[in-house]
Structures are given as C-alpha cells and as structure tokens.
Amino acid sequence: MSTRTKFNPSRSSPLLSKDDFQGAEEATDGSAGLRQLVGIKGGSKTDNIWAIRLQLTKPVTWIPLVWGVMCGAAASGNYHWIWNPFDPSDRDVMLGLTDAAKGFGAMILAGPFLTGYTQTINDWYDRDIDAINEPNRPIPSGAISEGQVIAQIWFLLLGGLLCGYGLDVWAGHEFPSVLLLSIFGSFISYIYSAPPLKLKMNGWQGSFALGASYISLPWWCGQAVFGELDRPVYWILPILYSIAGLGIAIVNDFKSIEGDKELGLNSLPVAFGIDGAKYICAGSISVTQLGVAAYMASIGETNYALALLALLVPQVYFQLTLLFPDPIANDVKFQGASQPFFVFGILATALG
C-alpha cells in the first residue's frame, strides 16, 4: 500500500493550477451542497457520514448506466408499457407495472450498486492522485476512515451481485446471465483501478474498459432482463458504442493530466499530449457513430440512420467550439452539451 500524498496548497509547484485550487474549495454559486452529494468538484464539506458515503458513489455517474439499461430493454423488443398510447395491443397495466419494476431493479443494479462500487473502489485506489487533483474528496481529506471505505466497497459489491441473481430468478433464466454480467463488470472495475493490472495506467486499455463499462454492460444487462443476447448484432453494436465511449473517457482524463504525469498514469492525454488526445477523443466519438449510422442504413432502417446523423451534428459542433479550443477548461461544458445527443443516439440505435 502506498503512502498517502499530503496536499499542501502553499507549496510552490507547477503541477497545481488555478483549477486545482478551485477543486479544493467550495463552489460559490450556491451549488456546493448539491455538488457534494453528486460527487463533483466544488462540493461543500460535511460531517454527515451518509452524505459522504453517497458522495463516494458519485451519483452523477449513475445516469449513463441507467440510460444504458433503458436502451437494452428497448433493444430486447419485450419491454411493455403500462399503457401504450401508440399501440392498443400494449395496454396490459399489470404486465407494464411488472416490467417497470424489473427495469427499476436493473437500474438499481447498474447505478447505485455496481457504479457506486466502481466509483468507491476507484477513489480508494486513487487516493494519492486525488490528494493532488481533488484534495477535497472524502478519502484524501480524511472525512471517512479507511475501514468505512472498505466496508462500503464490500456492501455495494455483494449487494449488486445479489441483485443480479435476483433479477435472473425474476426473469426465469436457466442461465444466470445477469449475475455473470455483474461479476464480469465488477472484475473489470477492480482491475481498472487496482494494481497490479490497473488498466487505467494504460490509456487505451483503461479508456476502452471505462467506455465498455458505461455503455455495453448496462445495455446487455437491460436486454438480458427482458430478452436474450442471442444475435451477434446485440454484441457488436454495444461494443462499437464502447469505442465512442473511449472518447468520452478521454474527456475525464484531461482534468487529471498533471497528477497523472506525477504518479506515472499513462492516460491518453499524457501519452499523446492534450492536442493529440482531443483529436483521438473527437474521432472515436464521431467515426463510430458514422459507422453505426451506415450499418442502420444497410439493414433498411434509414429513418434511424438519419436520426443518428442529425444527432451527430451538434456533437461535432461542440467538439469544434468547446473541445478543440480548450479541453481542460471546457471538459464539463463539453460533456454537458454534447452527451445528451450521444445518449439519444444510443437509444435510437436500440429502438432500431
């Protein structure tokens, strides 16, 4: 176990920029309390252990996983509405309520449990780098003890696996596909953060593992709960979107480039420089979606292909106006502006 880095804002160091100091301070726009709860920079300090535990799970990161479950449910073709206004044959209220409950269970599995586990274990193994980049995080600041962090990791992991098994039983699976996906995802989360493999040490491996975890795994989870993963396309399309997810993962690495350099993490911004990484980021996001649109057109789903192209246009615009000029200063703005169009493209693909 490595020695925890002490954060000293008064020391003279080129590794600490103005943004680093801002990350150690509370936001002054009235959002400090909310920032603390959802686990982003600028959060207020608190002694409430449950608020600290929630912060460690970074609820803001649950959203793409929950969305991925929705996409998988849509791709299955077996999700029923409570009362579908567009289809008179899909108005079985009890069946709709049952499917809604199953879907909610899958979202709890993908979001609070396994994403919470992923974020907590990542913070545990990143405590040294967070002491440089985000010293106000719960672990480097000492707001939560090591024993409490370890207990939370085990609770979220075992709770997630139990939830996955329960969904298999509820869906009547003879083969425990949801449980096995949960085990696989948990393993990827562990080796992403933990030595000796620590995939995040290698930019390509780490970024793709992150993209796959945020897109492919929740898609497969949602689809497995409501259907079968019995066609190659159900595996190919989520993996393709994981390549786009690699680009999104790169955006998260821009803010940590200096700390990554100091601690030897070979993220793509470190390996290729800021300029090189931003073009890799934009290329993986855009080219992958062009490929998916071409595939949708090739199977006769022209309307969905056109919808994907329409959703790609604003993403390219935000790449040109936010990502390319300054990916470090605009990382949050870029993700907030661009990602809604990206995730609606995933849903359009799943519906197609």
Side-chain angles (χ1 to χ4, degrees), residues 8-349:
N8 180 4
S10 65
R11 71 185 176 121
S12 176
S13 171
L15 294 174
L16 295 175
S17 65
K18 180 180 178 182
D19 288 338
D20 293 318
F21 293 119
Q22 289 175 339
E25 298 173 353
E26 294 184 15
T28 57
D29 59 0
S31 65
L34 177 61
R35 286 169 178 261
Q36 187 277 326
L37 288 176
V38 300
I40 59 177
K41 281 186 175 183
S44 60
K45 294 181 180 179
T46 179
D47 294 327
N48 186 318
I49 188 60
W50 296 108
I52 293 169
R53 288 188 181 280
L54 182 64
Q55 180 185 7
L56 271 179
T57 67
K58 291 186 181 177
V60 71
T61 65
W62 302 352
I63 298 171
L65 281 294
V66 168
W67 188 268
V69 169
M70 292 171 53
C71 292
S76 74
N78 295 321
Y79 183 86
H80 299 89
W81 293 32
I82 295 174
W83 196 88
N84 190 338
F86 306 107
D87 185 358
S89 66
D90 187 15
R91 294 177 181 174
D92 186 327
V93 174
M94 291 309 299
L95 180 58
L97 287 171
T98 300
D99 280 2
K102 284 182 182 177
F104 182 72
M107 292 175 186
I108 294 296
L109 165 65
F113 274 118
L114 293 188
T115 305
Y117 159 78
T118 298
Q119 295 296 343
T120 304
I121 200 170
N122 185 66
D123 266 25
W124 172 248
Y125 284 107
D126 273 6
R127 57 195 184 276
D128 290 339
I129 195 169
D130 282 346
I132 298 171
N133 291 321
E134 297 183 74
N136 207 35
R137 295 290 301 161
I139 297 175
S141 69
I144 186 170
S145 71
E146 295 183 357
Q148 289 170 319
V149 176
I150 297 299
Q152 175 162 320
I153 289 170
W154 279 108
F155 172 80
L156 293 172
L157 173 60
L158 296 178
L161 298 183
L162 182 62
C163 183
Y165 176 73
L167 286 168
D168 278 320
V169 173
W170 195 354
H173 292 162
E174 294 182 5
F175 182 79
S177 53
V178 180
L179 174 61
L180 291 179
L181 285 169
S182 301
I183 293 172
F184 177 72
S186 302
F187 173 71
I188 295 298
S189 298
Y190 177 78
I191 65 173
Y192 174 80
S193 298
L197 294 179
K198 203 173 180 73
L199 298 181
K200 66 187 301 178
M201 292 285 290
N202 182 295
W204 291 109
Q205 294 175 2
S207 295
F208 183 77
L210 195 62
S213 296
Y214 271 69
I215 297 176
S216 297
L217 285 170
W219 177 314
W220 292 329
C221 173
Q223 186 152 354
V225 169
F226 292 100
E228 300 291 338
L229 295 166
D230 56 355
R231 293 174 57 193
V233 68
Y234 294 150
W235 298 92
I236 294 170
L237 285 177
I239 290 173
L240 282 176
Y241 268 113
S242 294
I243 297 174
L246 178 150
I248 294 172
I250 294 172
V251 179
N252 293 323
D253 289 333
F254 283 119
K255 69 178 184 298
S256 302
I257 186 169
E258 300 297 348
D260 289 348
K261 287 179 181 178
E262 182 172 335
L263 295 181
L265 296 179
N266 194 34
S267 66
L268 292 180
V270 172
F272 292 93
I274 293 174
D275 286 340
K278 71 185 182 185
Y279 293 121
I280 294 172
C281 171
S284 63
I285 292 172
S286 301
V287 173
T288 300
Q289 291 179 84
L290 287 172
V292 174
Y295 169 78
M296 299 299 287
S298 73
I299 62 172
E301 297 291 350
T302 307
N303 289 338
Y304 286 105
L306 292 174
L308 283 174
L309 292 176
L311 288 166
L312 179 58
V313 171
Q315 295 177 65
V316 173
Y317 170 77
F318 291 123
Q319 289 168 11
L320 295 174
T321 58
L322 293 175
L323 180 67
F324 288 174
D326 193 339
I328 296 177
N330 297 330
D331 60 342
V332 175
K333 290 181 182 178
F334 171 70
Q335 292 193 79
S338 177
Q339 282 193 29
F341 298 98
F342 174 72
V343 298
F344 273 107
I346 299 176
L347 180 59
T349 302

